[in-house]
Amino acid sequence: MAPSGPGSVRRRCRRVLYWIPVVFISLLLGWSYYAYAIQLCIVSMENIGEQVVCLIAYHLLFAMFVWSYWKTIFTLPMNPSKEFHLSYAEKELLEREPRGEAHQEVLRRAARDLPIYTRTMSGAIRYCDRCQLIKPDRCHHCSVCDKCILKMDHHCPWVNNCVGFSNYKFFLLFLAYSLLYCLFIAATDLQYFVKFWTNGLPDTQAKFHIMFLFFAAAMFSVSLSSLFGYHCWLVSKNKSTLEAFRSPAFRHGTDKNGFSLGFSKNMRQVFGDEKRYWLLPIFSSLGDGCSFPTCLVNQDPEQPSTPAGLNSSSKNPENHQFPAKPLRESQSHLLTDSQSWTENSTNLGKGLSNPALTMENEN
């Protein structure tokens, strides 16, 4: 076996360094468990009823926090399916053609039957030279992961993972439960924190854990509340972090609300149709991450007139460059009104597969 080169060593070192924030959060979480459950509840609390209530509530929040954090870290980000990859012949054509209209013509033919509506800012087809594929809507290339990620939101160093279609719900729940975790600790620790400054606590090591625990919980509560509030706003507008900074471009131009379908439907797109799963870190998002309904489809004269593109096959492909493939059923029903969706959902059934599992099977 050939020895590893300098580039390989650097990559391995970077991979190790990327885990430092995760290790830091894990150590901080472990210390907070010891400080709250042992030093505060068992050592400092004198009321048995208060101990029981605090310990039960604390362990519930702790379990949900760890569960959602684990899912955010170890859920693999999804990549575009094989239909978006160029064939060997198309790759050869691209290599022969210079950058320009001829290059774009090859991509237009390759993208003819793909469910894509977005373009680059210059109006060209979104193509990734690194992965050699046509980017689905809302897909971006992550320089850290060196992959194209479906509905990429951002690369988060605190989870050492890309936050995208497959784990965005888990990331939101991680923010929510970590915020509740910190608020609960700060609220129940407050009276003992006050006793620390008024010399109402016995002179033991518990008093220092209580003091630092309150400071840490209060500090993280402020930062997490702003971050969680921002992502709640993004969900309500059906935007990713990248789309909030740079609006998606369609044929008619950029539109910051191009994927917004209204608050209720935007929520369902991330959390799913069944509300019993909303608060659990279990995948329930709609769709496959490769196609998304947009309120602007019908405003595009070169796109099908029906929301799901059901009549696209009856039209001449020469008349438009993207006779879009029908949206996946779980996404296209979001374009209909609430009443018709309720009627159709009964017929569609509940057998939605987890695209994360599909991705693992393909790999």
Side-chain angles (χ1 to χ4, degrees), residues 92-103:
E92 282 193 329
L93 282 175
L94 278 184
E95 291 175 358
R96 289 199 299 264
E97 298 292 346
R99 292 281 180 175
E101 184 59 31
H103 193 271

Side-chain angles (χ1 to χ4, degrees), residues 12-27:
R12 291 176 182 176
C13 291
R14 281 199 297 267
R15 290 195 191 102
V16 173
L17 292 175
Y18 290 153
W19 284 103
I20 291 179
V22 177
V23 172
F24 172 75
I25 294 294
S26 301
L27 292 175

